[in-house]
């Protein structure tokens, strides 16, 4: 044939980081962006909130000046009214308000602080490592990472402070109700106020980020695997990630294009091999840490569930959690497409993922109780009252029907597989995807503060148990030198430093397992062991081998969780046969 259709063509490489540079991809994506839609999205996400932020001090000072006398007159009943108001707010609105505030806060960090700071930090590291000898000690590399983090924080802080200084002369911080007669004259000072407030926050946050990253335990390669006595309890865990199921028989993945495999044959080979291994030496868990699908489409989920259904013995041990490709890819055919915050598309992808999770593990994992401090019912029990609402929304996809589904999505995380006994092994499944509506930021990670505190509460509830903490994104960037600058940017947890610090007191009985980067790395951050899963699908074409690992965890004699040397499983498919019409 002149063109082999199963081999794809240039169109399949439109967003492939394996076949095209980031600069080329960015250029083509920018050419596809709907500029009016982008402008509207920026107005919704940044313009209006920014204007309101800048107006806030003007309105507050005007209001205070007007009503302060009245407040004084009502001082006798003021405390009672304030108490009633606080009680009502606590009863009806604290949790939704906290969630909204946290989403807005981390969205701001995703939009401004984290990209600027991470770009500066990884740029400094990439430059510094060029002058570092290949045989440099691990301590020296750790010190370099700490120094570049602090330097990035100081640099971003200086730039932000400069922007604030430039906008300061146009600011105005007090207002009067007379200003409402000519509201247009408030636009310039309100925008100047916004620039100063945002730049000030950026300066403080970047510096805090740099200090936190510099002072934390730096990630290091694991020096040696643990050992455990033969009598110790053991758990065998097959760790997969980033299988990126496609919905077409010969379809290619978004980010690998023709540099990756076509279709889902590679996944079928992986599951066949796992089934053989399980029959010979049973597995306790098959953990898939996100990106089950390539773009979160219904056809992709159908293919994934169909593949699992071929291996019921494995399916009984499979646990999945959401990756950015499952919930944050706006459009597989056009990765540059922008999704407005009012669009139901994001919610629909979340509900597809939630439905698949319920089908795979709904009867085995638990959610937390209403107070988010103890185990509640199973995932299936938690979703039962909402089944009709979710199904109706999936059928119609309207904004009206999506109301309230955000809380359903947020309430089910973290999911937990409790330990069989007080010293057994449990599993925590986290959602580590940051809220995003655009392909340039869809890979960012975040563990919500509420979920983090709920996870810590469960760890305290089972003080002798061992745990796998499973998430999609890597908590910290790897210490390994990167060949290309594009390998370093924009994928780790935004709040990874806090995540690692929060787990440190319990780290001896934990292992964190993640995916997202498609490569294998086993290391530690202080006492916390971190295991990254290679993709058994993404990083090779059809005739090249890939691999995954089976990890053995054991009960250590000191009450901790031992990580024994893993078993590497290689998958080597045969080349595609010639095509005969």
């Amino acid at each position: 044939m002149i063109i082999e259709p199963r081999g794809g063509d240039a169109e399949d490489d439109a967003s492939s980081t394996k076949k095209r540079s980031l600069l080329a991809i960015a250029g083509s994506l920018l050419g596809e962006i709907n500029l009016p839609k982008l402008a509207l999205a920026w107005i919704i996400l940044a313009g209006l909130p920014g204007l309101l932020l800048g107006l806030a001090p003007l309105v507050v000072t005007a209001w205070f000046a007007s009503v302060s006398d009245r407040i004084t007159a009502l001082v006798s009943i003021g405390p009672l009214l304030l108490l009633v108001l606080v009680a009502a707010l606590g009863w009806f609105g604290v949790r939704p308000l906290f969630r909204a505030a946290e989403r807005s806060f981390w969205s701001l960090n995703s939009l401004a602080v984290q990209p600027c700071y991470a770009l500066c930090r990884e740029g400094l590291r990439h430059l510094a490592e060029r002058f570092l000898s290949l045989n440099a000690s691990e301590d020296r590399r750790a010190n370099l990472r700490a120094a570049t983090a602090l330097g990035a924080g100081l640099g971003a802080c200086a730039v932000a402070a400069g922007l604030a200084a430039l906008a300061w002369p146009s600011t105005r911080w007090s207002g009067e109700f007379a200003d409402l007669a000519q509201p247009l004259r408030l636009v310039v000072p309100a925008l100047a106020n916004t620039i100063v407030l945002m730049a000030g926050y950026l300066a403080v946050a970047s510096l805090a980020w740099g200090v936190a990253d510099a002072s934390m335990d730096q990630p290091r390669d694991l020096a040696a695997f643990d050992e455990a006595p033969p009598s110790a309890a053991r758990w065998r865990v097959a760790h997969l990630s980033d299988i990126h199921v496609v919905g077409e028989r010969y379809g290619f993945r978004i980010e690998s294009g023709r540099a990756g495999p076509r279709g889902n044959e590679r996944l079928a080979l992986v599951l066949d091999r796992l089934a053989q291994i399980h029959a010979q030496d049973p597995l306790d868990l098959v953990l898939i840490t996100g990106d089950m699908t390539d773009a979160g489409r219904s056809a992709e989920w159908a293919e994934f569930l169909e593949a699992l259904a071929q291996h019921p013995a494995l399916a009984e041990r499979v646990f999945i959690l959401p990756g950015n490709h499952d919930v944050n890819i706006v459009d597989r055919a056009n990765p540059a497409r922008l999704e407005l915050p009012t669009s139901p598309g994001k919610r629909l992808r979340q509900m597809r993922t939630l439905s698949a999770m319920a089908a795979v593990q709904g009867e085995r994992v638990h959610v937390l109780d209403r107070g988010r401090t103890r185990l509640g019912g199973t995932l299936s029990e938690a979703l039962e009252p909402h089944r009709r609402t979710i199904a109706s929304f999936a059928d119609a996809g309207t904004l009206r029907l999506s109301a309230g589904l955000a809380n359903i999505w947020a309430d089910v995380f973290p999911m937990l597989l409790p330990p069989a006994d007080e010293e057994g092994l449990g599993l925590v499944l986290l959602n580590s995807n940051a809220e995003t509506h655009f392909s340039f930021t869809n890979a960012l990670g975040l563990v919500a503060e509420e979920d983090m505190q709920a996870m810590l509460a469960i760890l305290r509830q089972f003080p002798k148990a061992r745990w796998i903490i499973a998430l999609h994104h890597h908590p910290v960037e790897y210490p390994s030198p990167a060949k290309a600058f594009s390998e370093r940017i924009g994928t780790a947890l935004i709040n990874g430093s806090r995540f690692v610090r929060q787990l440190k007191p319990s780290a001896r009985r934990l292992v964190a397992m993640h995916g997202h980067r498609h490569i294998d790395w086993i290391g530690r951050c202080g006492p916390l062991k971190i295991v990254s899963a290679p993709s058994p699908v993404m990083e090779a074409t059809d005739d090249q081998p890939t691999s995954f690992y089976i990890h053995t965890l054991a009960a250590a004699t000191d009450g901790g969780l031992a990580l024994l040397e893993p078993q590497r499983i290689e998958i080597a498919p045969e080349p595609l046969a010639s095509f005969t019409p």
Side-chain angles (χ1 to χ4, degrees):
M1 297 185 66
I2 296 176
I3 299 177
E4 165 59 79
R6 296 173 301 179
D9 50 41
E11 187 177 44
D12 295 297
D13 297 331
S15 301
S16 171
T17 56
K18 310 296 187 300
K19 302 283 284 187
R20 306 180 68 202
S21 69
L22 281 183
L23 186 61
I25 293 173
S28 61
L29 292 185
L30 287 172
E32 296 292 333
I33 290 173
N34 184 317
L35 294 180
K37 196 173 184 180
L38 179 62
L40 179 59
W42 273 96
I43 290 172
I44 295 173
L45 291 172
L48 287 177
L51 188 61
L52 292 174
L53 181 64
L55 282 172
L58 302 177
V59 174
V60 168
T61 54
W63 175 84
F64 184 79
S66 174
V67 304
S68 58
D69 292 339
R70 299 177 187 177
I71 292 176
T72 302
L74 295 173
V75 68
S76 59
I77 62 171
L80 179 60
L81 291 176
L82 181 61
L83 181 62
V84 172
L85 178 63
V86 170
L89 184 63
W91 183 260
F92 294 107
V94 164
R95 191 174 176 192
L97 285 175
F98 177 80
R99 281 180 175 171
E102 187 187 20
R103 281 196 300 267
S104 299
F105 173 76
W106 287 114
S107 293
L108 170 63
N109 280 282
S110 302
L111 184 66
V113 179
Q114 197 272 349
C116 294
Y117 164 70
L119 184 67
C120 186
R121 181 194 66 199
E122 296 305 320
L124 286 175
R125 286 177 181 170
H126 199 66
L127 181 63
E129 286 175 358
R130 291 181 175 274
F131 298 96
L132 198 66
S133 63
L134 294 177
N135 58 352
S137 68
E138 193 170 27
D139 286 340
R140 189 174 180 186
R141 292 185 181 276
N143 291 335
L144 176 67
R145 292 179 63 83
T148 52
L150 183 59
L154 291 171
C157 177
V159 172
L163 289 175
L166 289 175
W168 181 263
S170 300
T171 60
R172 177 182 165 194
W173 302 100
S174 61
E176 302 174 354
F177 275 106
D179 292 329
L180 296 179
Q182 294 179 311
L184 292 180
R185 72 181 186 181
L186 295 178
V187 172
V188 172
L191 291 177
N193 290 354
T194 299
I195 293 173
V196 169
L197 291 172
M198 296 284 286
Y201 170 73
L202 175 58
V204 173
S206 296
L207 185 58
W209 227 292
V211 171
D213 280 356
S215 60
M216 70 179 288
D217 294 316
Q218 297 300 310
R220 299 169 181 261
D221 295 332
L222 193 66
F225 291 100
D226 299 320
E227 295 183 358
S231 59
R234 280 172 162 78
W235 302 275
R236 282 167 46 81
V237 180
H239 186 192
L240 308 178
S241 194
D242 299 86
I243 54 182
H244 288 253
V245 171
V246 293
E248 305 86 10
R249 183 180 178 187
Y250 296 111
F252 289 95
R253 275 75 181 166
I254 295 173
E255 63 186 76
S256 61
R258 291 176 290 172
R262 61 175 68 79
N264 299 316
E265 290 301 316
R266 183 71 61 112
L267 174 61
L269 291 172
V270 169
L271 294 178
D272 289 343
R273 185 68 179 278
L274 267 178
Q276 295 171 5
I277 292 171
H278 177 63
Q280 297 170 357
D281 190 358
L283 298 165
D284 294 284
L285 302 174
V286 179
L287 177 61
I288 308 178
T289 49
D291 281 1
M292 283 68 66
T293 65
D294 201 43
R297 299 184 304 167
S298 293
E300 295 170 347
W301 281 116
E303 291 283 351
F304 171 73
L305 294 172
E306 178 66 24
L308 282 188
Q310 305 303 312
H311 302 280
L314 286 181
E316 293 175 354
R317 291 160 173 79
V318 169
F319 295 88
I320 63 175
L321 56 86
N324 63 298
H325 276 257
D326 301 316
V327 296
N328 279 349
I329 297 295
V330 174
D331 188 340
R332 172 178 167 80
N334 178 14
R337 181 182 162 203
L338 177 71
E339 188 173 61
L340 292 176
T342 55
S343 170
K346 175 70 172 283
R347 200 69 63 219
L348 188 56
R349 294 190 297 276
Q350 290 175 343
M351 293 302 105
R352 288 182 196 135
T353 303
L354 189 55
S355 176
M357 296 180 78
V360 171
Q361 63 213 33
E363 301 295 335
R364 292 176 287 147
V365 297
H366 290 251
V367 298
L368 275 74
D369 63 3
R370 187 175 180 86
R372 296 182 67 79
T373 57
R374 304 186 68 83
L375 283 179
T378 65
L379 174 61
S380 294
E381 290 170 348
L383 294 179
E384 184 61 32
H386 310 291
R387 291 178 64 90
R388 182 172 298 179
T389 301
I390 295 173
S392 298
F393 168 70
D395 184 54
T398 62
L399 181 61
R400 178 183 64 83
L401 290 174
S402 70
L405 296 183
N407 288 335
I408 296 175
W409 172 256
D411 285 343
V412 298
F413 295 103
M415 296 180 193
L416 302 127
L417 176 67
D421 55 70
E422 65 173 3
E423 296 186 2
L425 179 69
L427 175 64
V428 177
L429 301 172
L430 295 168
N431 171 30
S432 62
N433 294 283
E435 290 287 331
T436 181
H437 305 276
F438 190 34
S439 62
F440 286 162
T441 57
N442 75 63
L444 289 174
L446 164 74
V447 176
E449 182 66 23
E450 188 178 45
D451 291 353
M452 208 180 303
Q453 295 307 315
M455 173 183 63
L456 296 176
I458 292 299
L459 296 184
R460 291 190 294 268
Q461 184 182 343
F462 295 88
K464 295 182 179 180
R466 287 89 172 177
W467 292 91
I468 296 173
I469 308 298
L471 67 165
H472 181 58
H473 295 77
H474 45 302
V476 292
E477 295 291 353
Y478 302 145
S480 310
K483 295 179 181 178
F485 185 61
S486 60
E487 298 175 7
R488 315 183 73 108
I489 299 300
T491 58
L493 287 182
I494 298 172
N495 57 344
S497 174
R498 177 165 176 76
F499 179 80
V500 171
R501 290 173 187 271
Q502 292 289 297
L503 290 178
K504 187 173 182 178
S506 305
R508 70 182 182 86
R509 55 191 181 97
L510 308 177
V511 170
M513 292 187 170
H514 69 83
H516 195 42
R517 281 294 301 272
H518 303 174
I519 59 177
D520 59 316
W521 179 73
I522 301 176
R524 63 181 179 86
C525 204
L528 178 65
K529 299 182 185 74
I530 302 175
V531 177
S532 170
S535 171
V537 171
M538 287 288 289
E539 298 305 305
T541 51
D542 290 314
D543 57 348
Q544 295 175 324
T546 55
S547 64
F548 64 91
Y549 287 88
I550 295 177
H551 297 276
T552 300
L553 306 177
T557 54
D558 63 353
L561 181 61
L563 177 63
L564 309 187
E565 186 171 357
Q567 178 185 4
R568 185 175 183 270
I569 309 298
E570 187 170 285
I571 304 297
E574 297 181 358
L576 194 67
S578 59
F579 181 69
T580 303

